[in-house]
Every structure is written in C-alpha cells, then in structure tokens.
C-alpha cells in the first residue's frame, strides 16, 4: 500500500504585482505547512491582476520558494501568469521543488475577460507525487463537469485546484468540490484566495479545504489571509470527521 500523502492548501497574504514579496510569503507558508504538497490559489504570485507581467520560472525572484521546497522536500503548486511562447500566455499552475519551477498545468476554461489576455490550456494534466496521481485544475475548471471527468479519466487519486472566488460564492466553491469528490471517488483539495485583489475580487472567499472521496471536508481554513488547512490522504479514506477550522 502507498504511503500516505500530506497535502496543505494555503492562502498567503498576496500583494498585487509584488512577486518578490509574494515569493517570501509562499516560502513561509511552505515551511509552516510540513506537507508533501502545498497548493496555492489561482494567480497567487501576482494577485488576480490580469495585466500583471508574465513570470519567468527561472527568475531568481522565485528562489525563496525553491529554497523552502529544498529544505522541506515539498512540492509547491503556485499560481502565476506564464508566457509559454512569444505572445502566448497562460494562467498556469507551476510546480516548484528544490530543483526549480516548471509549468504543470494551464487553465483550460477561461472566464470573462481572461480570454482577452490569456490562451486556454490544451488538455488536462496529472502529476505523480510519491505514487499518488494528482489531477490539476484552476478556478472555473472546477465548475465544468467535463473538466473533472476528463481529468479523472486519466486515472487520479485527487483533484487539486487553485481558485479565486468572491465571498458570496463560498458555498458554490464547496459544492463543486463535494460534487467532484463523490462523482469520481477522489480526494479534492482546493486552495482559495483570501484577502483583497484585483478583477472585482475585493472580498474573497478564502475557506480553503480538503475533502475525502465521500465528499466530507476534513480540514478547512478560515477566510483570513495567512490561514491554511492540512490533511493526510490515505488509500483507505477515513470516515466522516469533524471539520477542523484554522
């Protein structure tokens, strides 16, 4: 049987357009998490600022995150605008470990004005971490049943997403996660933006959480920036547990 996998969903304080400050905040969250995988919200490195400059994943500004991952042995899944080729940018989920950063997934289902700046990703993505297959998603992807189905069809143990939602849509965020967990029999981990940011997200949802394959939230953060939730995924999932706040 596989060893359990510890996953944290983090919602660090994000300063719009300040990649250097956000890298330091991400690194601190990684060290605090004590997890194999630390998931961050959509566009966590820049804030939900659709005019933010793309981030080069070999830029030394990401060194604090790389160093934190090297020290802890964690994989961090960060949100960033990334230019994959001249004139073609994506809302991406980048994987960072002690060796550096690479794009692991690009958002397929763009929302609203995102399509004016970004290109959609080409296909679902799955990564393997310690024998666990993690399907990746970003925000609106989680509300499209086809995305979860297409990702699950690749064979996954967990559906992992970074999102940005307004506070009045917190229940929608939860319902999408529960639906995916139950429909596909997988763990679901959602890192949700907390604190004000651009694009009309003055009041974000936070409440990052992790759900069992039975649709039970076993770990949940609050609404405040800096909060985080953490849970250990096991091949034989536990029964219902009391939700842990904070």
């Amino acid at each position: 049987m596989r060893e359990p996998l510890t996953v944290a969903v983090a919602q660090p304080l994000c300063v719009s357009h300040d990649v250097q400050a956000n890298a330091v905040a991400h690194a601190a969250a990684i060290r605090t998490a004590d997890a194999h995988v630390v998931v961050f919200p959509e566009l966590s490195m820049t804030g939900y600022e659709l005019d933010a400059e793309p981030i080069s994943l070999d830029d030394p500004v990401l060194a604090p995150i790389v160093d934190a991952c090297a020290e802890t042995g964690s994989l961090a899944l960060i949100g960033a605008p990334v230019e994959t080729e001249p004139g073609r940018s994506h809302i991406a989920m980048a994987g960072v470990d002690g060796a550096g950063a690479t794009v692991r997934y690009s958002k397929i289902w763009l929302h609203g004005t995102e399509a004016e700046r970004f290109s959609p990703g080409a296909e679902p993505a799955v990564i393997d971490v310690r024998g666990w297959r993690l399907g990746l998603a970003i925000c609106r992807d989680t509300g499209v049943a086809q995305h979860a189905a297409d990702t699950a069809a690749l064979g996954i143990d967990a559906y992992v997403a970074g999102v940005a939602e307004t506070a009045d849509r917190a229940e929608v965020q939860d319902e999408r996660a529960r639906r995916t967990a139950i429909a596909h029999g997988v763990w679901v981990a959602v890192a949700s933006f907390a604190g004000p940011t651009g694009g009309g997200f003055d009041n974000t949802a936070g409440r990052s959480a992790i759900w069992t394959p039975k649709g039970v939230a076993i770990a949940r953060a609050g609404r405040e920036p800096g909060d985080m939730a953490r849970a250990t995924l096991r091949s034989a999932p536990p029964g219902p547990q009391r939700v842990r706040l904070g």
Side-chain angles (χ1 to χ4, degrees):
M1 184 178 293
R2 291 171 302 184
E3 291 296 315
L5 184 76
T6 303
V7 176
V9 284
Q11 46 192 55
L13 176 66
C14 177
V15 181
S16 289
H17 298 283
D18 193 337
V19 177
Q20 184 172 13
N22 294 334
V24 171
H26 279 56
I30 292 162
R31 291 188 173 95
T32 298
D34 188 25
H36 299 117
V37 180
V38 187
V39 189
F40 291 91
E42 179 180 27
L43 294 175
S44 61
M45 290 302 302
T46 59
Y48 190 83
E49 308 290 347
L50 301 186
D51 62 344
E53 290 296 318
I55 294 175
S56 173
L57 296 184
D58 60 1
D59 192 318
V61 74
L62 298 181
I65 304 177
V66 174
D67 291 346
C69 289
E71 292 171 20
T72 61
S74 302
L75 171 69
L77 296 174
I78 66 174
V82 175
E83 188 174 72
T84 55
E85 57 187 79
R88 187 176 179 85
S89 296
H90 297 278
I91 296 176
M93 181 181 283
V96 186
D97 59 19
T102 58
V103 173
R104 299 299 184 97
Y105 172 70
S106 296
K107 185 176 183 178
I108 295 175
W109 294 91
L110 299 177
H111 177 68
T113 57
E114 292 173 356
E116 297 174 7
R117 162 75 192 281
F118 298 101
S119 298
E123 57 190 4
V126 177
I127 60 173
D128 187 286
V129 182
R130 297 169 61 92
W132 289 79
R133 288 177 61 79
L134 311 182
L136 307 181
I138 300 174
C139 208
R140 191 187 177 200
D141 292 332
T142 66
V144 178
Q146 179 184 339
H147 185 274
D150 290 347
T151 305
L154 300 176
I156 63 173
D157 302 297
Y159 187 73
V160 175
V163 309
E165 290 284 3
T166 54
D168 61 349
R169 288 177 56 83
E171 290 303 320
V172 174
Q173 177 175 289
D174 286 358
E175 179 53 36
R176 289 175 174 178
R178 284 192 293 266
R179 182 177 65 224
T180 297
I182 294 168
H184 301 290
V186 296
W187 294 83
V188 175
V190 176
S192 178
F193 208 102
T197 188
F201 290 96
D202 297 330
N203 189 13
T204 51
R207 290 173 54 82
S208 301
I210 299 171
W211 288 261
T212 73
K214 294 183 179 180
V216 178
I218 59 167
R220 185 184 295 281
R223 288 191 54 199
E224 296 302 314
D227 208 352
M228 147 183 337
R230 179 177 178 275
T232 299
L233 282 54
R234 303 178 188 278
S235 295
Q241 299 182 26
R242 179 173 61 85
V243 172
R244 176 173 60 85
L245 298 176

